[in-house]
Amino acid sequence: MTNSAHTQVVQRQFGEQASAYLSSAVHAQGTEFALLQAEVAGRSDARVLDLGCGAGHVSFNVASAVGEVVAYDLSQQMLDVVAAAAQERGLTNVSTVCGAAESLPFADGEFDFVFSRYSAHHWSDLAPALREVRRVLKPGGVAAFIDVMSPGSPLLDTYLQSVEVLRDTSHVRDYSAAEWLRQVSEAGLFTRSHSRQRLHLEYNSWVERMRTPQAFRVAIRELQQAMGAEVREYFEITADGSFSTDVLVLWAER
């Protein structure tokens, strides 16, 4: 699939569901928000890039502590939701820009922080996106990446990627911690720390949020039930299809 074709898939998938992501508890809540807020505390002069901002939850959580937040996403309809929500909340320092992670329309060293949450698995190519993150960061700038993480095991990885793409055809890849560490290093960033969290996903809201077609929902449930005990136990798959998955929180510096 070409980058332009993938862009069209992403825009179609998320444009139609933009408002659902604003109200999604999975996206609006998370212990990582406190970490992001602590990182920017006392930096009222800072510029923050919310990369792959989705419905803008990162932007909304850090805006009051910094000088400016640029909410950046491939979906203009998502950005329209962000702009409206920012206005409603009185966050006048939040602006929106549309574009791809692999080609950022910003000058070198524009940002003190680049934060990305639950976006990287949609990027068509992680490597150039990470190089772009390094480019737009100031020397000494900080990046945080929060995303669903592959366990690294071939069996568990194959299962995870399968259900992800059945649920959402704009999915590209959930990377393992080892893949993240290698690619961050190759992009010229220094990994300060990384940790693993666990995220519980309620099945019905998970598929409803993306309006997953019924045939694909059936395929997900059939696959869940057909897998062996190792997969069912690792992902804590329950009778109604709900499950838990790993999330990586990685901090890097330029």
Side-chain angles (χ1 to χ4, degrees):
M1 182 182 291
T2 65
N3 281 358
S4 60
H6 179 67
T7 296
Q8 291 172 4
V9 172
V10 172
Q11 291 173 337
R12 182 182 69 246
Q13 288 289 93
F14 286 94
E16 296 174 354
Q17 280 75 248
S19 296
Y21 274 78
L22 180 63
S23 59
S24 163
V26 168
H27 293 81
Q29 301 170 13
T31 58
E32 62 272 14
F33 287 127
L35 301 176
L36 298 176
Q37 290 167 345
E39 187 68 27
V40 301
R43 294 296 308 274
S44 59
D45 61 331
R47 295 190 76 216
V48 178
L49 176 62
D50 182 1
L51 180 55
C53 64
H57 297 296
V58 167
S59 296
F60 304 149
N61 273 275
V62 302
S64 63
V66 301
E68 181 185 0
V69 180
V70 177
Y72 184 82
D73 202 89
L74 195 55
S75 168
Q76 183 59 53
Q77 286 172 277
M78 274 288 193
L79 294 174
D80 292 343
V81 168
V82 173
Q87 184 176 20
E88 289 176 5
R89 300 173 192 213
L91 299 173
T92 58
N93 62 336
V94 175
S95 61
T96 62
V97 178
C98 188
E102 297 84 3
S103 182
L104 300 178
F106 307 111
D108 297 356
E110 270 202 48
F111 295 96
D112 300 279
F113 300 97
V114 176
F115 296 152
S116 182
R117 180 175 181 262
Y118 296 137
S119 175
H121 62 275
H122 296 291
W123 300 347
S124 60
D125 196 337
L126 182 63
L130 292 176
R131 290 194 296 269
E132 282 288 86
V133 168
R134 183 190 183 280
R135 182 183 66 78
V136 303
L137 272 174
K138 295 178 181 179
V142 174
F145 303 100
I146 301 156
D147 204 15
V148 175
M149 177 175 66
S150 163
S153 154
L155 172 62
L156 300 176
D157 178 75
T158 297
Y159 167 78
L160 177 62
Q161 310 300 341
S162 298
V163 295
E164 284 271 49
V165 79
L166 283 169
R167 180 251 183 177
D168 172 13
T169 53
S170 71
H171 174 76
V172 175
R173 178 159 188 80
D174 295 321
Y175 298 92
S176 68
E179 289 173 312
W180 268 105
L181 291 169
R182 175 178 59 79
Q183 297 222 43
V184 165
S185 176
E186 290 177 354
L189 293 166
F190 167 73
T191 298
R192 189 171 80 189
S193 67
H194 69 283
S195 59
R196 169 182 171 268
Q197 297 181 352
R198 201 70 171 158
L199 176 68
H200 178 73
L201 292 164
E202 193 275 323
Y203 175 79
N204 284 331
S205 60
W206 182 63
V207 292
E208 282 295 327
R209 194 158 52 244
M210 286 309 302
R211 299 183 185 176
T212 303
Q214 184 60 31
F216 291 173
R217 298 186 192 198
V218 171
I220 291 169
R221 295 294 286 121
E222 291 285 350
L223 183 58
Q224 286 181 329
Q225 294 161 21
M227 298 305 296
E230 181 180 352
V231 169
R232 293 198 305 273
E233 290 172 6
Y234 188 89
F235 291 102
E236 301 174 322
I237 300 170
T238 62
D240 69 352
S242 300
F243 63 97
S244 296
T245 190
D246 295 329
V247 171
L248 177 73
V249 179
L250 188 150
W251 292 92
E253 298 177 359
R254 176 177 173 182

